[in-house]
Amino acid sequence: MLKLAILPGDGIGVEVTKQALRVLEKVKEVYGVEYSCSEGLIGGKAIDETGSPFPQQTKDLVKQCDAVLLGAVGGPKWEKAGSVRPEKGLLEIRKYLQLYANLRPIKCWKYLIDQSPFKNEKVEGVDLLIVRELTGGAYFGSRGTEIKDNIERAFDTIEYNEKEIRRLVKIAFDLAGQRRKKITSVDKANVLDTSRLWRKIVEEEATGYSEISLNHMYVDNCAMQICSNPAQFDVIVTENMFGDILSDQASVLGASLGMLPSASIGEGPALYEPAHGSAPDIAGQDKANPLATILSVAMMLRISFKLFDAAKAIEKAVDIVLKRGLRTADIWLPRDTCVGTCAMGDAVLREIV
Ligand code: NAD
Ligand code: IPM
Ligand code: MN
């Protein structure tokens, strides 16, 4: 029996998690996957109920489970200056479970190609994986705010040590070995010392992977190349903040941020979540695209539970639903049928056979 911790979080996190769980329930019926779910608090809702964005009960829950499914956290309600923020809960759970590698696969979905803002011939064949470092860099370095001589000042520090880089880079090389055997390491080594260390460690690790071709790219250039020639990329490996920014940008190659799932792996039980946030602009309106979260469940079945057929069945069901022309608003064109979050969930679970 697999033990899952479910952390819906805030805003559309709650709506998309609900649909993903319905799909999982259907997988259980069809594939006999036995699991139990326990729900926990994270983010803004956790602050409201316990004062902490990652309370002790949730820590205990996730430590004893096999995998975590998370919706999203955050929202305007918790954005007041000086108060604790929901996003801190997300950073804490990643650090607590030592989930240092975040995998964000982006592909051009055949039936969504016209929804992409890019020319069809540019995005055709796009299939890339961003391997983002998740527990280091500016998100976790020394930081602070102070007033000195009447001038307010703030700082965040990008910090990395060789161990943090090496363990992440190894994962990226291993994953590239299972794909098209090409890695682009993205840094800012023309300016930053952390990037120079990054590049050195990547070079050292590359010697153990002679079958994989490696190139280095500066992050500003990479942002441009993701638009101008996205099909060149197989695996992109990069530090935390670069990966955060580049993955939202690259998600558009797959038509929408609402299509981008993610898996965070490392030492503790892996965590699966859509790459998007709580989308306060559409929360509570049955408008959110649940497919990123549904596809995150497929990643969970494949990576944590090695249930490859069940994972494939979900991905195939998503493809069929898209083929049938069902679309949430973020991926809709006038020739398609616009459906809400629940109806999209219904449609996917009908196709799981
Ligand atoms: P966001 O990802 O929530 O939304 C960006 C835009 O994309 C919005 O227009 C939104 O409507 C749209 N969008 C996102 N997901 C969608 C979906 N599934 N279907 C349809 N449209 C979708 O980013 P934001 O607006 O910058 O941030 C909102 C809040 O979410 C903030 O508090 C932020 O900190 C938080 N956030 C949380 C996570 C997370 O929990 N992993 C990730 C990113 C942002
Ligand atoms: C993400 C989000 C988070 C991040 C925020 C909400 C802390 O943007 O998961 O991509 O920057 O990692
Ligand atoms: Mn992000």
Side-chain angles (χ1 to χ4, degrees), residues 145-336:
T145 51
E146 60 186 18
I147 299 177
K148 219 173 162 184
D149 301 328
N150 244 347
I151 295 183
E152 194 171 5
R153 169 178 175 268
F155 62 96
D156 302 279
T157 319
I158 305 175
E159 293 177 32
Y160 273 110
N161 66 44
E162 61 172 298
K163 270 172 74 181
E164 291 169 321
I165 301 169
R166 205 178 294 282
R167 65 186 182 180
L168 187 264
V169 166
K170 276 182 196 289
I171 286 186
F173 272 103
D174 286 340
L175 289 168
Q178 300 160 25
R179 296 173 48 98
R180 300 194 310 279
K181 302 190 172 35
K182 188 177 171 203
I183 284 205
T184 305
S185 174
V186 175
D187 63 35
K188 188 74 187 173
N190 48 349
V191 179
L192 302 174
D193 278 337
T194 43
S195 282
R196 285 177 198 145
L197 179 62
W198 185 277
R199 205 174 264 222
K200 177 171 159 250
I201 304 298
V202 171
E203 286 289 342
E204 283 174 15
E205 285 306 313
T207 60
Y209 295 87
S210 54
E211 74 286 8
I212 292 176
S213 79
L214 163 71
N215 68 320
H216 300 279
M217 196 177 275
Y218 296 135
V219 63
D220 45 353
N221 180 22
C222 182
M224 184 274 283
Q225 303 250 355
I226 281 174
C227 302
S228 63
N229 182 14
Q232 74 179 288
F233 296 108
D234 178 15
V235 172
I236 291 177
V237 62
T238 192
E239 67 96 49
N240 201 343
M241 191 155 69
F242 296 164
D244 178 43
I245 297 167
L246 293 178
S247 58
D248 266 34
Q249 185 195 345
S251 75
V252 181
L253 302 165
S256 167
L257 183 53
M259 295 298 298
L260 177 54
S262 93
S264 303
I265 60 173
E267 287 172 19
L271 183 153
Y272 299 86
E273 56 173 329
H276 63 72
S278 58
D281 52 338
I282 56 167
Q285 300 171 41
D286 193 43
K287 281 188 184 160
N289 185 345
L291 294 179
T293 316
I294 289 170
L295 292 166
S296 300
V297 167
M299 290 186 87
M300 178 175 84
L301 292 171
R302 181 172 287 120
I303 297 172
S304 283
F305 305 133
K306 317 279 178 238
L307 294 167
F308 304 106
D309 288 348
K312 253 197 215 131
I314 293 180
E315 287 157 355
K316 195 170 161 215
V318 169
D319 212 41
I320 294 172
V321 166
L322 296 175
K323 184 178 181 186
R324 287 178 43 217
L326 300 185
R327 305 278 189 273
T328 43
D330 58 313
I331 50 174
W332 178 81
L333 283 180
R335 64 167 190 228
D336 303 317

Side-chain angles (χ1 to χ4, degrees), residues 73 87 90-91 94 104 132 134 139 240 244 248 273 275:
V73 300
E87 291 82 349
L90 198 52
L91 303 189
R94 290 169 179 172
R104 297 187 164 184
R132 167 191 176 193
L134 204 60
Y139 284 51
N240 201 343
D244 178 43
D248 266 34
E273 56 173 329

